Amino acid sequence: MSTPVALGIRAKGRNVFFAVSPQRSFCMAAAETVVHRKSEGGRGAVKGVRSFEEIPHTGRNGWYNLLKFWWKNHFQQLHKHMERTFNTLGPIYREKVGTMSSVNIMLPSDISELFQSEGLHPRRMTLQPWATHREIRKHRKGIFLKNGEEWRADRLQLNKEVMMTAAVKRFLPLLDEVAKDFCRMLQARVEQKGRRSLTIDPSPDLFRFALEASCHVLYGERIGLFSSSPSLESQKFIWAVERMLTTTPPLLYLPPRLLLRIGAPLWTQHATAWDHIFSHAEARIHRGYQRLSSPQGKGSASGGQYTGVLGQLMEKGQLSLDLIKANITELMAGGVDTTAVPLQFALFELGRNPEVQECVRQQVRTSWMQAGGDPQKALQGAPLLKGTIKEILRLYPVGITVQRYPVRDIVLQNYHIPAGTMVQACIYPMGRSLKVFEDPLRFDPSRWGNREEGHRGEAAGFRSLAFGFGARQCVGRRIAENEMQLLLMHILLNFHLSVLSSEDPETIVTLILQPKTPPRITFTKL
């Protein structure tokens, strides 16, 4: 259950009090009210590149925008708000919420220009509640919360263990093992009482899968979440991640240290969730450290046995133990919901598109047989699996924006954007735009083949940005992509998927996009 937070705001000479549940999330952009562009240059305005002030906007009063969205609880529909605003104002607009201002764009050509100006040390919006928690608890910050040369130095070390081809080859068998075990668990449940099919909400199982897979790759050990009685400790970790995500957005617009000083329940819930996440991660890291420091652990490492990302980082010795802890904790916290939720959408879309499902299955089956049990070869021979993940993240991106602060002045849609302005690439509206995709609401994994990749011009490479772009793209991208593809591969090899309703799922935004109600899926043994 969520705890309502009472807030008081003085508006129009009166005190307004209302309760907001942390489940009711806040946005990175603001108001529903749309204000059409006004020419502010006057008679002496110079024709050509327009000024920043001339960019269409949704209202200049950020506090009014914040209050309006808060009052009407429209923050959970931020993705739809963005889509409506682009349809009304065009492909670029300004937004101000509280003290936060941004320029929002959605066309690949503009996004390409933005990323070309991100500099050597790209910046995205700092999640200040997370940073404040690290500061008051005296935890080191991982790369998610760092900028500048310090960020780059740490990122280059992490890339070697989670992004490079050699690293992927090392951890792929671990992900494959967990995916197979998940399907064995599901098969056993289907076969109970002689059944051939089972209809369930798979989301709890998918969260357990994501945590089990993450732990296996990061710590090099299994934690037994597929047993008949998974540990309460691990379930609490999943709850803590969910609470952390739902309490983050409102804190983006309120000063965390002030809330800490007055003992606001919202901050307390957020900090407590992070405390539990750190406690869980530190316990795992401590066990891993003891195991790897033992004679048996040293023997395993020297014998070529993969000891997980933790073991690799400790063996290399390029990062201090405190920095290893900070980054492993961030990877753990960011590796559960962000894979489990897209998998929910993937099972749903494959279930309501049986012809697509069968096409992907046939390719997977052929590739699996030819690969002889090698998961890397199996994935390479089934490009429709990768296309399925890209298509899911086009329609249902985990994060609905990617932010950058250009290091130089740029021009977007013939408007001047000063260096240092926060610019958001809004990938949910882009993924559903006729200006970017043909038949955008159709679920079609084959659209990501060679036929369509070059269809929309030079900026086509900026149409798929669910994991970000460039040096600051998601550091866990290779883990997540392969984790999702391997699970879908083994599910399609063993089950036919169907859904009870083919209606579009209603979606909401907490810190990530997710279904308001998880879809129920029928798994039928092949």
Side-chain angles (χ1 to χ4, degrees):
M1 293 180 65
S2 61
T3 305
V5 182
L7 294 167
I9 295 179
R10 189 164 182 82
K12 296 182 180 179
R14 62 190 180 94
N15 290 319
V16 179
F17 291 92
F18 50 96
V20 178
S21 165
Q23 298 292 340
R24 296 181 175 178
S25 296
F26 287 71
C27 68
M28 294 183 181
E32 184 184 45
T33 302
V34 169
V35 179
H36 293 278
R37 183 183 61 81
K38 293 182 285 187
S39 177
E40 299 175 353
R43 296 179 187 174
V46 179
K47 292 186 178 180
V49 176
R50 294 174 171 175
S51 69
F52 180 82
E53 288 73 22
E54 290 181 279
I55 298 174
H57 59 86
T58 58
R60 298 185 184 280
N61 191 321
W63 295 113
Y64 176 76
N65 290 343
L66 176 60
L67 178 60
K68 185 173 182 178
F69 256 54
W70 206 343
W71 185 273
K72 294 188 176 181
N73 190 30
H74 285 173
F75 290 103
Q76 289 187 339
Q77 293 299 306
L78 172 60
H79 54 311
K80 298 294 186 182
H81 159 70
M82 287 180 168
E83 194 172 36
R84 288 193 304 268
T85 308
F86 280 121
N87 288 337
T88 303
L89 293 183
I92 184 171
Y93 69 92
R94 286 188 292 135
E95 191 107 70
K96 186 170 185 180
V97 193
T99 59
M100 186 181 297
S101 298
S102 68
V103 171
N104 295 346
I105 58 176
M106 59 156 282
L107 293 182
S109 56
D110 293 332
I111 296 171
S112 171
E113 180 67 27
L114 171 66
F115 284 126
Q116 288 178 44
S117 65
E118 66 179 4
L120 182 63
H121 304 128
R123 287 177 57 216
R124 59 186 175 195
M125 186 182 71
T126 299
L127 296 179
Q128 194 55 49
W130 297 16
T132 299
H133 174 267
R134 306 301 188 273
E135 291 160 8
I136 63 174
R137 295 292 194 264
K138 295 182 168 46
H139 291 310
R140 297 293 294 272
K141 293 176 182 176
I143 60 169
F144 193 87
L145 296 172
K146 286 184 175 181
N147 288 300
E149 185 54 45
E150 187 182 22
W151 160 81
R152 184 174 176 80
D154 291 357
R155 174 72 193 233
L156 290 175
Q157 295 302 320
L158 285 172
N159 281 351
K160 297 175 185 177
E161 307 307 330
V162 295
M163 292 291 286
M164 299 299 187
T165 302
V168 174
K169 191 172 182 178
R170 287 194 294 266
F171 65 65
L172 207 60
L174 278 64
L175 294 175
D176 190 51
E177 176 190 323
V178 178
K180 287 178 179 176
D181 286 351
F182 179 92
C183 286
R184 292 190 191 103
M185 175 198 71
L186 193 57
Q187 201 156 23
R189 288 169 62 182
V190 171
E191 291 173 351
Q192 286 178 358
K193 300 179 182 178
R195 295 178 299 197
R196 285 194 55 82
S197 65
L198 177 68
T199 301
I200 57 170
D201 163 14
S203 58
D205 295 315
L206 293 173
F207 280 104
R208 285 195 288 271
F209 163 76
L211 181 54
E212 184 81 17
S214 294
C215 284
H216 202 16
V217 170
L218 295 177
Y219 306 131
E221 66 174 0
R222 297 289 298 271
I223 58 176
L225 286 178
F226 299 154
S227 68
S228 56
S229 54
S231 72
L232 183 60
E233 173 198 5
S234 297
Q235 188 57 56
K236 284 182 177 178
F237 176 83
I238 294 173
W239 291 337
V241 171
E242 291 174 345
R243 178 52 57 90
M244 177 272 291
L245 291 173
T246 56
T247 54
T248 295
L251 291 169
L252 295 175
Y253 304 96
L254 301 168
R257 289 188 179 275
L258 173 61
L259 297 179
L260 169 66
R261 193 172 296 119
I262 65 175
L266 181 62
W267 171 256
T268 302
Q269 292 170 21
H270 184 76
T272 301
W274 268 121
D275 289 343
H276 193 88
I277 291 168
F278 267 86
S279 176
H280 180 276
E282 285 177 0
R284 292 284 168 194
I285 291 168
H286 181 68
R287 284 197 288 269
Y289 179 80
Q290 288 184 319
R291 186 181 74 251
L292 294 166
S293 301
S294 69
Q296 296 89 340
K298 291 178 180 177
S300 297
S302 61
Q305 182 178 336
Y306 183 60
T307 54
V309 174
L310 174 64
Q312 295 292 306
L313 290 172
M314 288 174 55
E315 184 181 348
K316 300 288 174 58
Q318 298 297 310
L319 294 177
S320 69
L321 186 57
D322 281 346
L323 285 177
I324 291 173
K325 287 180 180 180
N327 284 291
I328 291 288
T329 302
E330 285 184 5
L331 282 167
M332 277 294 298
V336 180
D337 294 57
T338 52
T339 51
V341 171
L343 282 168
Q344 292 180 49
F345 287 123
L347 295 177
F348 171 78
E349 287 292 352
L350 289 168
R352 76 165 174 174
N353 292 277
E355 292 181 0
V356 174
Q357 178 186 161
E358 191 55 34
C359 186
V360 178
R361 178 182 290 109
Q362 290 303 323
Q363 191 180 84
V364 163
R365 188 174 282 160
T366 300
S367 181
W368 179 250
M369 291 175 62
Q370 292 175 347
D374 184 327
Q376 188 170 28
K377 289 181 179 178
L379 293 184
Q380 288 172 348
L384 284 178
L385 267 179
K386 187 172 184 177
T388 296
I389 298 302
K390 291 183 77 170
E391 189 72 342
I392 288 300
L393 293 175
R394 175 183 72 83
L395 291 167
Y396 310 102
V398 174
I400 62 172
T401 69
V402 178
Q403 314 90 35
R404 287 293 187 273
Y405 297 80
V407 296
R408 56 177 172 80
D409 289 12
I410 57 176
V411 176
L412 300 175
Q413 291 294 314
N414 206 37
Y415 292 105
H416 172 247
I417 311 295
T421 302
M422 185 171 81
V423 183
Q424 297 195 105
C426 302
I427 57 180
Y428 179 91
M430 177 179 70
R432 291 167 178 259
S433 172
L434 271 169
K435 296 178 181 178
V436 183
F437 293 96
E438 292 181 0
D439 198 2
L441 299 185
R442 176 169 55 94
F443 175 67
D444 179 15
S446 69
R447 78 167 73 238
W448 297 101
N450 293 330
R451 173 181 61 83
E452 175 136 341
E453 275 293 353
H455 184 71
R456 297 280 176 164
E458 294 181 2
F462 293 91
R463 299 179 310 147
S464 179
L465 294 171
F467 290 104
F469 173 80
R472 192 117 206 190
Q473 65 183 291
C474 172
V475 71
R477 175 176 188 164
R478 302 301 178 210
I479 298 174
E481 285 178 327
N482 288 287
E483 184 180 322
M484 291 188 284
Q485 288 181 60
L486 285 167
L487 183 63
L488 289 182
M489 179 176 73
H490 288 295
I491 286 176
L492 290 172
L493 287 171
N494 289 280
F495 302 98
H496 178 269
L497 305 170
S498 56
V499 293
L500 300 177
S501 170
S502 61
E503 294 294 317
D504 289 341
E506 188 176 350
T507 52
I508 59 172
V509 175
T510 55
L511 194 59
I512 64 174
L513 186 73
Q514 59 190 60
K516 185 176 182 180
T517 302
R520 292 177 65 81
I521 310 295
T522 298
F523 297 84
T524 302
K525 280 184 59 180
L526 293 174

